[in-house]
């Protein structure tokens, strides 16, 4: 399967995330796959994140490049808890949701909650601010090193 970022088969580890975002933005944006929802020049900011992760990424392809290796570290099996808050006057949508999966290296469970503040213009996502629980990432990945 291909899309605006090329071959999509390498993104299967993120399918539950892609699904819940599409569900939250249904009727507000066009496109079938997550990357189709993003404007070519989308700006994504990771406000609360994990060390080593970029704070800002610009462009659909750059977002895809960032997410391309996700399955090497984490594989999601579900997403739930979706709450959608939409302000039509500002074209802002706030999505609250949780993802669940497993860290590849440690085999530990990964359960994280997100708040994504999304601006939609011309039926595409033009800006995305993401907030997550970095401790959930650390617990799943075993980083930073646990006390001995």
């Amino acid at each position: 399967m291909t899309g605006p970022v090329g071959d999509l088969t390498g993104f299967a580890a993120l399918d539950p995330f892609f699904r819940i975002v599409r569900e939250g933005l249904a009727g507000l944006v066009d496109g079938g796959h997550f990357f189709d929802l993003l404007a070519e020049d989308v700006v994504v900011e990771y406000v609360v994140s994990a060390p080593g992760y970029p704070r800002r990424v610009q462009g659909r392809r750059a977002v895809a490049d960032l997410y391309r290796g996700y399955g090497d570290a984490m594989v999601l099996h579900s997403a739930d808890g979706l709450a959608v808050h939409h302000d039509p006057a500002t074209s802002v949508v706030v999505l609250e949701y949780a993802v669940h999966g497993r860290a590849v290296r440690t085999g530990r469970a990964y359960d994280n909650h997100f708040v994504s503040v999304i601006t939609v213009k011309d039926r595409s996502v033009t800006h995305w601010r993401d907030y997550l629980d970095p401790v959930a990432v650390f617990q799943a990945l075993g980083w930073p090193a646990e006390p001995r």
Side-chain angles (χ1 to χ4, degrees):
M1 181 163 82
T2 61
V5 296
D7 185 12
L8 297 173
T9 56
F11 296 101
L14 282 159
D15 281 348
F17 163 72
F18 294 153
R19 179 195 54 75
I20 205 157
V21 168
R22 282 192 322 269
E23 183 180 335
L25 296 176
L28 302 173
V29 294
D30 294 328
H33 191 273
F34 171 80
F35 296 116
D36 298 330
L37 311 179
L38 305 178
E40 188 68 36
D41 60 348
V42 65
V43 173
V44 179
E45 296 177 295
Y46 301 96
V47 179
V48 177
S49 189
Y53 216 69
R55 288 290 190 193
R56 184 178 194 274
V57 177
Q58 185 163 358
R60 180 192 299 146
R61 285 198 182 278
V63 173
D65 289 345
L66 178 64
Y67 289 176
R68 196 172 302 280
Y70 188 87
D72 296 338
M74 206 80 72
V75 176
L76 302 181
H77 57 73
S78 64
D80 55 29
L82 179 64
V84 179
H85 314 279
H86 177 217
D87 181 356
T90 62
S91 300
V92 172
V93 181
V94 177
L95 301 181
E96 299 178 68
Y97 54 95
V99 298
H100 313 282
R102 192 152 303 278
V104 173
R105 187 181 58 78
T106 65
R108 292 181 184 161
Y110 174 61
D111 297 290
N112 209 333
H113 292 78
F114 292 79
V115 174
S116 299
V117 181
I118 300 164
T119 303
V120 175
K121 296 232 167 99
D122 299 323
R123 301 197 53 83
S124 292
V125 172
T126 59
H127 192 261
W128 184 301
R129 278 191 328 271
D130 217 32
Y131 301 80
L132 63 81
D133 177 5
V135 174
V137 177
F138 301 154
Q139 289 173 336
L141 296 177
W143 186 91
E146 296 178 16
R148 296 174 195 220

